[in-house]
Amino acid sequence: MAHELHDTAKAIVADHKGILAADESTGTITKRFDSIGVESAEENRRFYRQLLFTAPRMEDSIGGVILYDETIRQSADDGTSFAEVLSAKGVIPGIKVDTGAHEQAGFPGEKVTEGLDGLRERFEEYRGLGARFAKWRAVITIGDGTPTDGNLRANAHALARYAALSQEAGIVPIVEPEVLMDADNSLEVCWEVTTRTLHETFAALYEHGIDLQGTLLKPNMVIPGKGARDQASPEQIAEATVNTFLGVVPAAIPGIVFLSGGQSEVQATENLNAINKIGGPWALSFSYGRALQQSALQGWGGDAANAEAAQAAFVHRARMNALAAAGEWSAALEQPVAA
Ligand code: 5MM
């Protein structure tokens, strides 16, 4: 079992590949569809995900796709399940298993992620449906007096319990403690909060006997908040990010796959590239949602006639990010995609 977990974790990030986070819950995909004026009907969601998963040569840059519960039960036009469509291309199917972040009782303004009840049985079912890795996202909010130690510990404990159940089922856990970049905090504050978050997370993973070689970490970059007066250069973000992780993330973790967190598509690529110019003992790659899909979603606009252009936009972003995961991206490669 340990070997299978190690091999799966390594395969997802092999050859500078990364992950497509296509695990938007119904509420989130509805917001995305609202932004392009498309009704969030089940068939539209299926069509859009099919467009992404069948994009020609996406497998050159994408090693894994995170699916939502509805999506792992859906199929392509020819009846092939999405998990099989991906596996046939050598892309590993994954599943989001948390049921969302909710207000933590007694901790105003902070959230704790739920979904542990019945998770052992759900893992068994998801493995049968083809999932070989999973994801659980904790949301950490920077604010006046937050995050508190109590909130960090509650989220770390849930992440560790999830990871233990995942590995028991032979499924690689992606551990995602996301420090939000929505506030106006400085890079230094993000550095401090990310360090505290990762300390608590790894302490809990040790306590629960998690096999780190069969685990991937999905964190935020160390970056100023969106509203910060002083923004930072990719080099400053890269230096702060790599130094933070060198201090708290064991080299046994095979891959750190960053979330994009609201960065623009090119910004997320440029920052990942700068991070890889420095490098570290882990594969440093991507698990982007918005930063891989924004152009594709807009290019599609709900019209099947635009499907090919949308696929090209997605594959372009995936390729740019795989180059960034090798530290080989440059702005000159950002050719406009023909509509
Ligand atoms: C794709 O978005 C994921 C699902 O979010 P919800 O559960 O709120 O619908 C999300 O977990 C995502 O995987 C990560 O936050 C990274 O996404 P971004 O867009 O920040 O790269």
Side-chain angles (χ1 to χ4, degrees):
M1 184 79 98
H3 285 302
E4 186 190 338
L5 291 171
H6 300 177
D7 291 348
T8 302
K10 276 189 278 188
I12 292 169
V13 291
D15 304 324
H16 309 294
K17 290 182 195 178
I19 296 172
L20 165 65
D23 59 311
E24 297 89 351
S25 54
T26 305
T28 302
I29 197 73
T30 299
K31 273 191 229 155
R32 306 274 186 269
F33 279 16
D34 284 349
S35 75
I36 54 166
V38 171
E39 188 199 349
S40 182
E42 183 178 350
E43 173 52 20
N44 287 342
R45 295 193 292 267
R46 188 201 67 83
F47 184 91
Y48 172 66
R49 262 70 181 251
Q50 171 175 257
L51 173 164
L52 296 175
F53 305 160
T54 60
R57 303 201 54 185
M58 60 82 96
E59 62 273 21
D60 294 353
S61 312
I62 300 291
V65 174
I66 316 173
L67 305 168
Y68 180 56
D69 181 81
E70 174 185 272
T71 322
I72 202 170
R73 301 174 195 282
Q74 288 175 326
S75 301
D77 292 344
D78 67 0
T80 311
S81 76
F82 281 150
E84 285 174 52
V85 167
L86 293 169
S87 298
K89 299 171 81 153
V91 178
I92 302 177
I95 181 76
K96 183 238 292 294
V97 299
D98 67 68
T99 55
H102 301 270
E103 294 296 327
Q104 185 179 356
F107 292 79
E110 296 190 283
K111 291 185 170 180
V112 66
T113 302
E114 297 180 0
L116 289 169
D117 288 353
L119 187 53
R120 177 174 275 136
E121 293 71 27
R122 288 167 57 219
F123 266 128
E124 204 178 311
E125 186 192 8
Y126 286 140
R127 194 174 155 96
L129 290 169
R132 290 296 174 269
F133 73 99
K135 197 202 80 173
W136 177 291
R137 172 174 173 248
V139 176
I140 309 299
T141 310
I142 295 180
D144 193 12
T146 69
T148 60
D149 289 342
N151 175 254
L152 293 181
R153 265 187 229 122
N155 274 303
H157 178 257
L159 278 166
R161 286 195 57 201
Y162 138 78
L165 286 163
S166 183
Q167 292 191 334
E168 181 186 89
I171 292 179
V172 169
I174 294 189
V175 170
E176 180 180 3
E178 174 175 3
V179 177
L180 296 177
M181 57 176 283
D182 297 339
D184 58 2
N185 59 277
S186 64
L187 179 137
E188 287 73 21
V189 168
C190 182
W191 187 328
E192 184 248 318
V193 171
T194 303
T195 302
R196 284 171 60 208
T197 301
L198 293 173
H199 266 301
E200 290 294 349
T201 302
F202 279 95
L205 295 182
Y206 286 128
E207 196 172 15
H208 289 253
I210 303 308
D211 178 352
L212 297 184
Q213 292 181 73
T215 302
L216 295 172
L217 177 69
K218 175 166 173 169
N220 52 286
M221 295 177 188
V222 176
I223 194 168
K226 274 183 214 156
R229 200 190 49 198
D230 296 326
Q231 288 299 319
S233 67
E235 290 69 29
Q236 288 169 322
I237 290 165
E239 193 188 344
T241 300
V242 174
N243 281 336
T244 300
F245 290 105
L246 281 174
V248 280
V249 181
I253 290 281
I256 296 178
V257 288
F258 292 98
L259 57 90
S260 55
Q263 299 176 60
S264 74
E265 289 181 326
V266 174
Q267 192 186 13
T269 303
E270 191 172 9
N271 288 335
L272 180 63
N273 190 60
I275 286 169
N276 277 288
K277 292 275 187 206
I278 302 175
W282 336 264
L284 291 161
S285 192
F286 57 94
S287 175
Y288 293 162
R290 286 164 285 181
L292 274 174
Q293 296 186 52
Q294 211 176 329
S295 295
L297 195 61
Q298 277 162 5
W300 171 54
D303 185 345
N306 297 331
E308 272 183 39
Q311 288 180 319
F314 162 55
V315 171
H316 173 71
R317 286 270 42 96
R319 193 171 145 261
M320 292 298 104
N321 284 305
L323 286 168
E328 289 171 2
W329 172 87
S330 73
L333 296 165
E334 290 287 347
Q335 302 298 334
V337 177

